[in-house]
Amino acid sequence: MDKYETHPYDVIVIGAGGAGLRAAIEAKSQGASVGLICKSLLGKAHTVMAEGGIAAAMANIDPSDDWKTHCADTLRGGVYVNNWRMAQLHAQEAPERVRELEQWGALFDRTADGRILQRAFGGHKYRRLVHVGDRTGLELIRTLQERTVQLGVDVYMECTVTNLFKEDGRFAGALAYWRESGRLMIFQAKAAVIATGGSGKAYKITSNSWEYAGNGHAMVYDIGAELMDMEFVQFHPTGMVWPPGVRGLLVTESVRGDGGLLKNNKGERFMFKHIPERYKGQISDTEAEAEKWLTEIREARPITARKPPELLPRDIVARAIYNEVKEGRGSEHDGVYLDISHMPAEYVKRKLPSMYMQFKELADVDITKQAMEIGPTMHYMMGGIRVNADSQATNVPGLYAAGECAAGLHGANRLGGNSLSDLIVFGRRAGLYAAEYGKKTPEAKIPDAAVDRAEKELFAPFDRKSGPSPYEVHRELQEVMTTYVGIFRSESDLNTGIQKLQQLREKAKTISVEGNRQYNPGWHLAKDLDTMITVSEVIARGALLRKESRGGHARTDFPKMEDAFSKVNFVAVKDGDKPKVEPKPLPEWSDEIKKLMAEEKK
Amino acid sequence: MSESKEVVLKVFRGDPRGGEAKEYTVPVGPGMVVLDAIHHIQGYLSPDLSCRWNCKAAKCGSCSAEVNGKPRLMCKTRIDDFPAGEPITVYPLRAFPLIKDLVTDVSKNYEVNKRIPPFTPAKDVEWKMFQPDVDRVQEFRKCIECFLCQDVCHVIRNHGKLGEFAGPRFFVRLANLDMHPLDSLSRLQFLKEEAGLGYCNITKCCTEVCPEDIHITDNAIIPLKERVATRYYDPLRLLWRKLTGK
């Protein structure tokens, strides 16, 4: 081990998106020594792409809003398999976390009386999303980045963690490589916060960047941590579909929150056909009422009408769009139409400046005059690393997880806006508890043999003189996940998918890469494939066991929600070469949550 | 508009020891951007071609390069904007030390950023701000740190002064802090003495390349220069200071 550059810390944070940055800030503020490791340059993480806003019940616009309503909305949106305690903490703490951002220099859009403005979004009963036009993620990440720099956190840019190590049953440290040189390094750390986001790059059509390769999921799973709810994958209803190069690119939900309508090729607003029972109280069932809502938000008046059905949660809208296309009512390029051209052009440009530019420059569409063509795109993973609701601790001592890579808050489907608030609420909690643990715990020795083994595996693709290119295997993986573990699933498809994933795992072991270790994207992808295939198989196995349709998980052979599955989460652990996936009982609602859910139903 | 089905890209390949442009022929689809072509090269022709990218939607500022000599985001640069049949050259940003292929060492920018005195609200301030006051600062906060402005600025590119000169990106950040309605700190001395604001002779090259359309020169740099001038070079103030010793 002496041959490696080694950095000792109380806490390392792996991933520098919103959750990682917030965790690093907290751990540093608690007096721990902190190393923040980011796969890209600082400030480029996936959070930067978030558009719509941060959900926080600040009640600046709709005075009736409070944490209880936000918590109930989150549980309803998650179709009741969320961890109730996380939903509660999230709703209670989000407003304070937002105020804190403002005190660190963030500048959100304002109300007429100088407070933080909030906008409507799918599944949220009230106007709740704190935002800056449609670039809220940039504001969040830049604010946290500046704060991290101000506090003097050590930042390791373009550094990829490849393996975590355990000794005496607890976390001991990590192996990483510098992207620039391909040189290896060791983080001798007492605690780690995993904040590595999702694994969307396993899918062909996705809003995710290359970084989203399930690194964190697979690394913790490898040393015995549990993954939960992995079958719940969110397909965002509105991704771009044309031109081909931008297929999957996100079109923010704010388009609908600010008045955008969904139409099929007959001009019909098809979402009126898809209002589920549990949303009947909140959603307009006539065009006249939906029109009234539109007028009220356009004129920034108090809202009296129920929201239009375009603002149902994402799982419902995505499936409805998929069906419209499948049944022949789609647009020219197999999407449907999203239209906001009925709103004043100035309003559209002010509320959605980057969407306006994105369509104008990349698709030659002026959204103030023409409809957009959109369709579902793989966007987010509700499932992830199983954590304690309060501390974000995993079952491996010293290991914590926060943000998209952690599971529990969102249940079967995440509401828009609940991701950015998740990052700051649970990023802070993970940093707090990891610091507490890291400060009082002695170092564990990283086992030499495990490091040697990891190094050998890492460089093996250079030694193979022939074999498939990592890009070829990646294309096959994307094809498999999109075809067999996509938006609609069935037993036979999932079985085929699992079989193909196992074949791909074998094929991945024969990958050969060209060039040297210096800044070599082919080599980086070879390692990312390893983690993506692992995560993909856990997704497929969870999906096979959940014989019902709920939230982001839809089965053609079990199209209904089943009571038997409403009380369990599926939890995966590594068992030899394969994941062992078993149902675990869902934590029972506290009396307070039972009471508030009963009241919300009325 | 280009009608051809293929495009030739001349992409720089090499490292600090040397290198040259290599030609790749890439199939062209509708609406294709330069980054799509680079991805095609990685996926089918040369898997070790280095380039930075993340969002592919002009939100992260990673895929900066010099396309046909002009600093641009590759994700926003359409192939059909160029004359059909002519090769497109893609080079790394030339103001920064080369790492490999299209990747350069931009770390000095992060070092400059660390020295900027951070946002400092007054104690017990009321957190109330109004949209018109926030609007002009929000323009600066659109910056995606692509460093194209740094790349094109002659003080950095031709004179290598990044460090003693903060550069347009960080004047934008300083303007953001300076004009934040609730910030309480003066950064004028920093601007004059440590950020090298005086080096800028407002040629507006930075503004021209900004993919976020931030009016860097007019809205950030010139107002900062005016404030520094008023503080340090106003003749009445100079006289006052001489007389009072303040």
Side-chain angles (χ1 to χ4, degrees):
Chain A
M1 244 188 55
D2 301 340
K3 58 181 173 169
Y4 305 106
E5 165 189 348
T6 300
H7 301 275
Y9 285 106
D10 293 332
V11 179
I12 54 169
V13 178
I14 306 173
L21 287 165
R22 190 60 189 82
I25 289 168
E26 194 63 24
K28 184 80 182 175
S29 306
Q30 297 297 324
S33 65
V34 182
L36 173 66
I37 308 164
C38 43
K39 213 172 163 183
S40 287
L41 297 173
L42 187 61
K44 310 294 185 193
H46 222 282
T47 304
V48 86
M49 294 175 70
E51 292 161 354
I54 309 169
M58 306 183 84
N60 286 355
I61 306 283
D62 293 316
S64 310
D65 200 9
D66 61 5
W67 78 262
K68 291 181 178 172
T69 317
H70 189 184
C71 179
D73 286 350
T74 301
L75 294 172
R76 186 184 296 108
V79 208
Y80 314 113
V81 290
N82 325 49
N83 178 305
W84 67 267
R85 175 68 181 156
M86 284 177 84
Q88 180 184 34
L89 287 170
H90 167 252
Q92 286 173 332
E93 294 179 3
E96 189 47 38
R97 298 283 81 78
V98 167
R99 280 190 281 271
E100 193 171 69
L101 289 173
E102 190 172 53
Q103 287 154 16
W104 294 341
L107 281 168
F108 300 111
D109 287 349
R110 317 306 297 179
T111 62
D113 62 351
R115 291 176 303 152
I116 294 174
L117 182 63
Q118 301 187 269
R119 68 158 42 118
F121 238 57
H124 292 282
K125 188 169 176 186
Y126 297 111
R127 281 170 287 184
R128 188 175 284 150
L129 266 73
V130 171
H131 62 280
V132 187
D134 53 4
R135 57 159 192 86
T136 315
L138 174 64
E139 189 66 19
L140 178 74
I141 202 164
R142 207 60 89 226
T143 303
L144 293 175
Q145 177 185 345
E146 284 162 8
R147 184 74 184 168
T148 306
V149 169
Q150 183 183 349
L151 294 174
V153 172
D154 293 346
V155 182
Y156 295 82
M157 294 202 288
E158 298 202 313
C159 178
T160 304
V161 176
T162 59
N163 298 79
L164 303 178
F165 303 110
K166 209 164 77 167
E167 181 68 10
D168 296 333
R170 64 191 169 97
F171 172 70
L175 180 71
Y177 65 79
W178 286 111
R179 187 130 57 109
E180 176 175 342
S181 61
R183 270 190 300 116
L184 299 184
M185 63 201 292
I186 294 274
F187 288 96
Q188 176 73 58
K190 299 181 229 173
V193 176
I194 312 297
T196 51
S199 190
K201 266 301 174 199
Y203 285 85
K204 195 161 61 178
I205 298 167
T206 174
S207 62
N208 291 177
S209 86
W210 71 274
E211 294 195 290
Y212 265 36
N215 295 159
H217 295 87
M219 286 191 297
V220 301
Y221 165 85
D222 227 28
I223 59 166
E226 299 166 321
L227 303 180
M228 185 176 90
D229 287 342
M230 295 294 280
E231 66 274 24
F232 297 126
V233 173
Q234 180 165 80
F235 290 84
H236 194 292
T238 62
M240 288 177 84
V241 296
W242 189 259
V246 295
R247 187 158 190 136
L249 209 65
L250 188 64
V251 178
T252 174
E253 187 167 325
S254 321
V255 176
R256 285 171 285 140
D258 293 336
L261 312 176
L262 287 169
K263 291 174 185 171
N264 60 21
N265 66 13
K266 297 184 160 54
E268 180 193 6
R269 282 180 73 181
F270 55 88
M271 281 313 301
F272 284 103
K273 297 182 296 193
H274 299 277
I275 306 168
E277 197 53 45
R278 64 183 193 284
Y279 280 98
K280 293 233 153 106
Q282 285 193 13
I283 297 287
S284 301
D285 45 14
T286 63
E287 288 210 24
E289 188 181 353
E291 192 57 45
K292 188 175 167 207
W293 182 88
L294 214 57
T295 311
E296 287 171 342
I297 65 147
R298 187 191 295 133
E299 293 168 7
R301 290 206 309 238
I303 302 279
T304 59
R306 289 174 297 177
K307 289 191 301 187
E310 278 85 358
L311 284 173
L312 281 160
R314 291 175 175 175
D315 52 336
I316 300 163
V317 182
R319 280 195 299 273
I321 293 171
Y322 182 95
N323 280 324
E324 288 299 309
V325 177
K326 204 170 131 215
E327 288 163 17
R329 294 185 296 275
S331 65
E332 191 186 347
H333 302 105
D334 289 338
V336 295
Y337 298 103
L338 172 61
D339 194 355
I340 193 159
S341 63
H342 52 278
M343 300 299 264
E346 277 319 302
Y347 169 93
V348 173
K349 286 187 203 170
R350 180 166 48 83
K351 291 277 190 185
L352 305 161
S354 67
M355 286 304 107
Y356 173 72
M357 294 305 282
Q358 187 172 311
F359 273 89
K360 199 165 144 242
E361 289 177 1
L362 300 176
D364 302 320
V365 167
D366 179 349
I367 67 168
T368 65
K369 297 193 178 80
Q370 298 159 273
M372 297 161 250
E373 266 189 88
I374 55 88
T377 179
M378 190 285 175
H379 182 57
Y380 188 87
M381 289 168 61
M382 273 69 72
I385 303 162
R386 191 184 198 204
V387 291
N388 174 286
D390 286 73
S391 68
Q392 301 293 102
T394 69
N395 58 319
V396 176
L399 216 50
Y400 299 75
E404 182 173 350
C405 71
L409 170 60
H410 308 294
N413 171 62
R414 174 173 72 78
L415 296 183
N418 272 1
S419 178
L420 294 186
S421 42
D422 174 6
L423 306 182
I424 48 180
V425 168
F426 293 105
R428 175 188 154 274
R429 283 184 163 266
L432 180 69
Y433 288 93
E436 191 179 282
Y437 176 93
K439 282 196 295 181
K440 67 168 192 222
T441 308
E443 260 180 30
K445 192 187 170 330
I446 300 175
D448 286 335
V451 178
D452 289 345
R453 200 166 47 240
E455 173 172 353
K456 228 183 200 162
E457 277 174 22
L458 208 52
F459 293 129
F462 285 112
D463 302 333
R464 290 188 280 266
K465 293 298 160 230
S466 69
S469 138
Y471 288 94
E472 175 193 328
V473 178
H474 189 202
R475 287 190 289 269
E476 285 175 35
L477 170 65
Q478 292 180 319
E479 204 61 54
V480 169
M481 289 305 282
T482 303
T483 311
Y484 302 105
V485 199
I487 189 164
F488 280 99
R489 298 138 180 202
S490 70
E491 179 151 339
S492 65
D493 276 357
L494 289 166
N495 278 323
T496 313
I498 290 168
Q499 204 187 350
K500 287 186 182 282
L501 287 170
Q502 284 165 344
Q503 289 162 2
L504 275 179
R505 169 157 303 291
E506 292 310 309
K507 190 167 177 178
K509 289 179 188 158
T510 67
I511 284 174
S512 146
V513 300
E514 286 176 26
N516 58 33
R517 293 177 188 181
Q518 213 188 5
Y519 220 112
N520 187 335
W523 173 46
H524 306 154
L525 178 58
K527 176 62 192 166
D528 282 348
L529 272 170
D530 181 45
T531 57
M532 269 190 279
I533 294 171
T534 299
V535 171
S536 297
E537 188 178 345
V538 181
I539 294 174
R541 287 190 184 275
L544 190 61
L545 289 175
R546 190 170 278 280
K547 297 183 174 172
E548 65 158 352
S549 293
R550 179 185 298 268
H553 172 67
R555 290 275 300 250
T556 52
D557 43 357
F558 299 98
K560 289 213 171 76
M561 211 165 353
E562 302 292 342
D563 271 350
F565 289 99
S566 66
K567 299 276 185 284
V568 293
N569 298 112
F570 284 100
V571 174
V573 287
K574 190 176 178 183
D575 183 21
D577 244 5
K578 267 196 267 175
K580 187 173 78 183
V581 190
E582 284 178 336
K584 292 271 160 82
L586 191 75
E588 203 192 326
W589 286 356
S590 69
D591 290 343
E592 188 181 22
I593 297 290
K594 279 183 193 158
K595 196 168 146 238
L596 92 89
M597 291 309 284
E599 279 166 12
E600 284 292 325
K601 252 192 182 153
K602 282 176 204 161
Chain B
M1 256 217 189
S2 162
E3 291 293 321
S4 86
K5 295 266 188 305
E6 282 183 341
V7 65
V8 173
L9 269 85
K10 291 185 169 177
V11 182
F12 177 82
R13 301 298 308 267
D15 58 28
R17 287 166 299 182
E20 58 181 0
K22 283 202 175 146
E23 280 195 15
Y24 300 95
T25 304
V26 173
V28 177
M32 190 163 147
V33 294
V34 171
L35 186 59
D36 291 323
I38 295 292
H39 284 164
H40 181 91
I41 297 170
Q42 289 179 324
Y44 294 94
L45 306 170
S46 187
D48 65 339
L49 166 62
S50 315
C51 93
R52 286 196 180 102
W53 75 282
N54 287 74
C55 76
K56 219 185 161 289
K59 292 186 170 71
C60 76
S62 299
C63 64
S64 306
E66 296 191 8
V67 183
N68 280 0
K70 206 181 158 203
R72 313 182 66 143
L73 292 179
M74 292 192 284
C75 69
K76 258 180 94 170
T77 306
R78 296 264 296 253
I79 301 275
D80 58 13
D81 282 347
F82 299 105
E86 286 179 27
I88 298 171
T89 61
V90 188
Y91 271 75
L93 299 183
R94 285 184 232 206
F96 306 113
L98 180 66
I99 292 177
K100 183 172 164 257
D101 302 341
L102 301 178
V103 178
T104 55
D105 178 2
V106 292
S107 58
K108 220 165 176 182
N109 292 293
Y110 291 88
E111 295 305 317
V112 169
N113 187 49
K114 276 187 198 168
R115 304 205 315 261
I116 295 177
F119 175 60
T120 313
K123 279 213 172 81
D124 307 321
V125 69
E126 192 190 355
W127 290 93
K128 229 171 208 199
M129 287 177 266
F130 296 90
Q131 194 64 46
D133 302 322
V134 164
D135 270 340
R136 63 178 194 165
V137 189
Q138 282 181 338
E139 179 190 0
F140 305 136
R141 294 188 68 86
K142 288 195 301 186
C143 170
I144 57 175
E145 297 202 322
C146 61
F147 303 130
L148 293 180
C149 58
Q150 303 285 84
D151 180 56
V152 81
C153 175
H154 65 100
V155 182
I156 297 171
R157 191 181 178 99
N158 303 100
H159 303 286
K161 291 215 181 286
L162 181 57
E164 56 181 303
F165 175 68
R169 154 59 188 138
F170 299 104
F171 295 133
V172 165
R173 175 153 188 241
L174 281 153
N176 154 17
L177 291 164
D178 199 51
M179 297 179 202
H180 189 298
L182 300 180
D183 183 73
S184 64
L185 202 71
S186 167
R187 294 173 188 78
L188 296 180
Q189 191 180 353
F190 178 84
L191 274 160
K192 178 173 172 281
E193 287 164 18
E194 292 186 53
L197 183 64
Y199 281 123
C200 167
N201 48 8
I202 48 176
T203 51
K204 294 203 176 184
C205 310
C206 50
T207 305
E208 277 169 30
V209 298
C210 178
E212 287 295 305
D213 202 22
I214 302 171
H215 295 86
I216 302 174
T217 319
D218 289 347
N219 293 352
I221 295 179
I222 292 176
L224 289 177
K225 275 180 173 282
E226 282 169 354
R227 284 174 200 207
V228 169
T230 311
R231 168 74 179 76
Y232 290 100
Y233 305 111
D234 182 341
L236 285 177
R237 277 201 185 210
L238 280 176
L239 184 67
W240 175 253
R241 252 186 271 155
K242 227 173 215 167
L243 291 174
T244 61
K246 280 181 191 168

